Amino acid sequence: MALPPLTLYVHVPWCVRKCPYCDFNSHQAPDSLPEELYLKALEADLEQSLPEIWGRQVHAIFIGGGTPSLLSEGAIDKMLAMFRSRLSVWPDAEITLEANPGTVEANRFSSYAESGINRLSIGIQSFNDHALKKLGRIHDSAQARKAIDIAQRAVPRINLDLMFALPGQTLAECIADANQALSFGTEHLSMYQLTIESQTVFAKYPPELPEDDLSAEMEQTIEQMASQAGFERYEVSAFAKKGARSRHNLNYWEFGDYLGVGPGAHSKISFPDRIIRYARTRNPESWMQGSIARDGSHLSETRSLTAQDLPFEFMLNALRLREGVPLSLYTDRSGLNVATLSRPLQTAIQKGLLFPDPTRFKATQQGWLFLNELQSLFL
């Protein structure tokens, strides 16, 4: 089995405040971030993983969270220098940092760019002040616009994160948000439907969300507007102009490899004879102590994927892509013959969820609308 492309994910766990809809591994930041200790632990975490990826090139780096832009300019500079000194990072690697408007970190964007950040993903969520308050965001629409302006002057590539089907949102309000997002001329948009996740404040105190039919109309309208503005919807939640697809995320969906470092980060690493998933412990303090101790306690899971795991693991990602993937990619990434999928493929085609294409796995429009049902066929 040939080894797939490799990317690096870095998790920064702190936020100014936990949003009520968020189920990511994020924690309210202390008055003073323990940057020095975090970087020391990150270095130890990375160095303990090097034997598993030795000699492999890193095609992209994604620094996510949490709110990575809470880190100082100096911390980001040291972090990227650490990666370059220990990893074989492509000279033109896409290096993304997630950022939130509403705090002074927007003014750090130029310094981040000087350190090597060439893509910013900005968590706008909405340009409607009333909606932002309902979502528990700490910024307003004016701060969002200012952050985008600063980012556009700092880096060549920008993604805007927005949500739709918000509490009480009308179709007109959704259209206004999409129009505002498209007006900036950025190259990439991520548009997510708000869903209620377990273990969140919204799960305990659920807001009233738009009905399914209205949510579907919002989604269709956003896709039409984005298409007219020169965007292609290449993944369920991702829209990009030509040549601007997210390299790191595309590697996820094509079942590539990724090394995840930081609290709660996940890794998928392929070897010639097996694929292993790793997970870091989620608590930031426990992860920092375990990483620095170098005793393995920073890991919460190490699991080899079985032949029974791989069909679902592969399809869970690949079917999210509008174009699907070549059949040959399944064998390249899993080491298994496509014949292992014959029964669920036949069922999916009979249900009209998958095209009967002898060269590609590709969901039909119906398959995209009922993606969970389609993916579950491969369990």
Side-chain angles (χ1 to χ4, degrees), residues 12 16 183 363:
V12 180
V16 173
S183 72

Side-chain angles (χ1 to χ4, degrees), residues 322-344:
R322 170 60 64 85
E323 298 170 357
V325 297
L327 262 66
S328 58
L329 192 68
Y330 176 70
T331 299
D332 292 343
R333 295 288 192 262
S334 71
L336 300 177
N337 192 289
V338 175
T340 59
L341 299 174
S342 58
R343 184 173 295 177

Side-chain angles (χ1 to χ4, degrees), residues 113 118 176 180 196 292-293:
N118 54 30
Q180 181 80 88
I196 305 301
I292 293 169

